[in-house]
Amino acid sequence: EGCAAVGPMDVYTRTLLGHLTHRKVSAAVLLEHGCEKTHNDFWRNELQQRGLSTDAFGWASVQADGGIDSSKAAVTSMLLDRLRECKAACPTPPADDKPLQSVSIAMHA
């Protein structure tokens, strides 16, 4: 949402939490710049207040991780690790699954 986000925070919060916890989402990383109103600590608290585990998500911060290159490397590593976990858990995809090239990645900024 960036530094200048405006609008009803409850709608924004419910929307993003809905995306994060959707049954079709197998991996999610929350990346903060460091200046947002809804930084990673905010999302951790929101998840915990709803009784949800924060361990299910990756967490990265441009400022805390030491810059864009460091946070990009951390996010890439987290997503590749999750992909390996998913492949190990489901070594034989059902015949109607699409190839990896058709996987959609959603980014919210």
Side-chain angles (χ1 to χ4, degrees):
E1 43 81 18
C3 302
V6 295
M9 288 304 297
D10 61 327
V11 173
Y12 175 70
T13 301
R14 284 194 327 266
T15 301
L16 189 55
L17 288 173
H19 290 307
L20 289 171
T21 58
H22 192 277
R23 63 184 175 87
K24 293 282 190 174
V25 173
S26 60
V29 176
L30 290 96
L31 171 64
E32 67 181 8
H33 300 117
C35 58
E36 302 88 351
K37 288 194 301 188
T38 55
H39 47 78
N40 283 347
D41 286 339
F42 172 85
W43 293 112
R44 279 189 187 94
N45 289 333
E46 289 294 322
L47 289 162
Q48 290 169 343
Q49 286 176 7
R50 288 164 174 77
L52 301 168
S53 173
T54 59
D55 295 335
F57 306 103
W59 302 90
S61 170
V62 172
Q63 287 184 359
D65 291 340
I68 292 172
D69 290 336
S70 296
S71 60
K72 189 166 44 170
V75 169
T76 300
S77 177
M78 284 181 235
L79 291 174
L80 287 174
D81 287 347
R82 182 65 179 142
L83 179 60
R84 286 185 202 99
E85 291 170 12
C86 289
K87 286 175 102 174
C90 302
T92 308
D96 63 341
D97 273 6
K98 297 185 189 277
L100 187 58
Q101 292 86 347
S102 67
V103 172
S104 296
I105 297 178
M107 299 185 81
H108 175 73

